[in-house]
Amino acid sequence: MPTAGGCGRLSPVAASPAPRDPVADLRRIAFLLERALESTYRVRAFRTAAATLAALPPEEIDGHARAGDLAQLKGLGDVTTRCVMESLSGSVPEYLQALEEEHPGPVTAGGARLRAVLRGDCHTHSDWSDGGSPIPEMAVTGRELGHDYMVLTDHSPRLTVANGLSPERLRRQLEIVAALQPVLSPFRLLTGIEVDILEDGALDQEEGLLAGLEVVVASVHSKLRMPAAEMTPRMITAIGNPNMDILGHCTGRYVRGRGRPESQFDADAVFGACAEQGVAVEINCRPERLDPPRRLLRQAIEAGCLFSIDTDAHAPGQLDWQRYGCERAEECGIDPARVVNTWPVEDLLAWAGDHSHRPSARKSRR
Ligand SMILES: [Zn+2]
Ligand SMILES: [Zn+2]
């Protein structure tokens, strides 16, 4: 059996640790900060530094490190330069070490069983609307988390505060997604949108464009406090739109900070319509939303709805939030077979693509 130094003397080189990948370390730092819902501002330095270094050949990074002029590169400041130097010397950057210790393991204790059978995420945002990262970074992170697929669902035109996509911008985005596909394969980045449910229940995007998207999430973002007598028909009209696949964060509530009350609607009627039309009710995993609340979740199960457990991530690290939704789904006793993102991509696409005669969720699909 070979032993250390068994073939001769130990070389001094073998004694020093191999350099780590500074880009991977910076991305990991950003990921952990995002997962902890840190401000985009605090994360940006690490994302920018990682992007700058990722565009350079490793020899060039080494050259700058030896010359001591890393800080001259775009986006590299004191903290990020120190991290890179530590990585290159073969040690885990102190900053990263501290974060790993601060946030060990998954975001919450429960939900492991259901999370293990999820194959994708159907609600995510990029920097094309109000997300913090470019499309490829979101997609690569989704792939690294073990997903088979991820739906890109940036906002629709009327949500101007979130830089919603005009039809032209959405068409351009579709070309970008198509061009990325070969790079990501076999992982699938699916085309989609989080389209606003307008006050009259219409969806805020050209019908033809919606029909061509692979998955359509529709959500209420305006006039959240309208009376139930108006909100119920508004939601039911949207659910009846054959292009709609998933009802996003149905109550619009916020459970953190100053909070926001639930929108009022006739849950029996709304979930009944979802079940009838085969529209999935989203279990939104954002820690400040956790929407719908458990009592409505149980009601939707009772109504025979399908579900989609989605992060609504606005940054790569937030893609790791699915355990929050899985935990709640398990507490409410959801059958994993009714969760559309436990399905293989072909089944998901067949369901979402069936825009004419949706199989009722009450009939067992699988
Ligand atoms: Zn939304
Ligand atoms: Zn969203």
Side-chain angles (χ1 to χ4, degrees):
M1 183 185 284
T3 54
C7 303
R9 64 191 173 82
L10 262 178
S11 81
V13 176
S16 63
R20 295 168 58 86
D21 176 357
V23 175
D25 283 346
L26 291 170
R27 287 181 69 234
R28 177 71 184 164
I29 290 171
F31 178 92
L32 291 171
L33 289 170
E34 289 158 355
R35 197 173 76 149
L37 196 47
E38 286 292 348
S39 70
T40 308
Y41 175 78
R42 194 170 165 212
V43 182
R44 189 172 295 140
F46 297 98
R47 287 277 173 213
T48 309
T52 297
L53 297 183
L56 298 176
E59 315 82 69
E60 206 173 321
I61 300 174
D62 284 342
H64 284 293
R66 274 196 302 274
D69 65 0
L70 273 171
Q72 288 177 14
L73 296 171
K74 179 182 169 251
L76 272 100
D78 289 348
V79 176
T80 44
T81 297
R82 198 177 324 127
C83 290
V84 173
M85 294 304 286
E86 288 168 341
S87 297
L88 291 174
S89 76
S91 51
V92 179
E94 261 180 56
Y95 197 103
L96 175 55
Q97 185 86 45
L99 279 176
E100 298 279 16
E101 284 163 15
E102 202 181 327
H103 308 282
V107 290
T108 188
R113 206 164 27 87
L114 193 47
R115 174 61 187 87
V117 293
L118 290 187
R119 296 169 189 257
D121 193 333
C122 297
H123 185 168
T124 70
H125 297 273
S126 74
D127 61 3
W128 279 59
S129 64
D130 59 348
S133 278
I135 299 169
E137 186 65 41
M138 291 296 290
V140 166
T141 305
R143 190 176 63 180
E144 287 168 352
L145 285 170
H147 287 321
D148 296 342
Y149 53 86
M150 189 181 104
V151 190
L152 179 62
T153 57
D154 277 313
H155 289 288
S156 65
R158 302 263 186 116
L159 208 61
T160 48
V161 288
N163 196 22
L165 273 60
S166 64
E168 294 69 34
R169 287 184 68 220
L170 180 53
R171 283 192 191 93
R172 227 178 319 134
Q173 185 181 70
L174 298 182
E175 288 168 20
I176 304 261
V177 170
L180 267 174
Q181 205 53 71
V183 185
L184 298 168
S185 180
F187 176 86
R188 296 279 300 270
L189 179 62
L190 305 178
T191 60
I193 186 172
E194 181 184 14
V195 65
D196 260 46
I197 298 177
L198 300 174
E199 273 179 64
D200 62 357
L203 301 184
D204 178 30
Q205 189 49 280
E206 290 175 5
E207 287 290 320
L209 203 42
L210 288 178
L213 296 172
E214 288 172 309
V215 178
V216 171
V217 177
S219 317
V220 170
H221 289 115
S222 60
K223 292 275 171 72
L224 289 151
R225 296 194 189 206
M226 62 167 44
E230 294 170 32
M231 185 60 94
T232 304
R234 175 186 185 181
M235 293 171 84
I236 290 178
T237 301
I239 293 160
N241 186 312
N243 293 320
M244 176 170 167
D245 302 311
I246 297 170
L247 173 62
H249 49 70
C250 64
T251 78
R253 73 169 184 173
Y254 279 139
V255 294
R256 286 195 180 181
R258 287 170 56 215
R260 186 160 73 196
E262 298 170 21
S263 294
Q264 298 301 307
F265 55 88
D266 178 343
D268 267 342
V270 167
F271 295 145
C274 284
E276 202 53 52
Q277 302 289 334
V279 165
V281 173
E282 175 183 82
I283 299 173
N284 189 292
C285 299
R286 293 192 67 82
E288 81 278 26
R289 286 193 183 272
L290 296 174
D291 197 3
R294 289 184 190 82
R295 91 179 182 282
L296 289 180
L297 204 47
R298 293 199 178 94
Q299 212 171 328
I301 295 170
E302 206 50 39
C305 293
L306 295 170
F307 297 92
S308 187
I309 302 178
D310 300 328
T311 59
D312 194 358
H314 285 67
Q318 299 178 1
L319 290 166
D320 204 21
W321 282 346
Q322 274 178 320
R323 284 279 289 261
Y324 286 125
C326 290
E327 182 174 54
R328 298 168 71 77
E330 282 183 2
E331 284 165 6
C332 295
I334 287 181
D335 173 3
R338 306 199 74 84
V339 178
V340 298
N341 51 330
T342 65
W343 299 348
V345 70
E346 301 77 25
D347 291 8
L348 180 89
L349 291 174
W351 160 74
D354 182 4
H355 288 169
S356 49
H357 299 287
R358 276 278 168 69
S360 165
R362 290 198 187 88
K363 293 175 203 145
S364 175
R365 284 189 76 260
R366 301 169 50 75

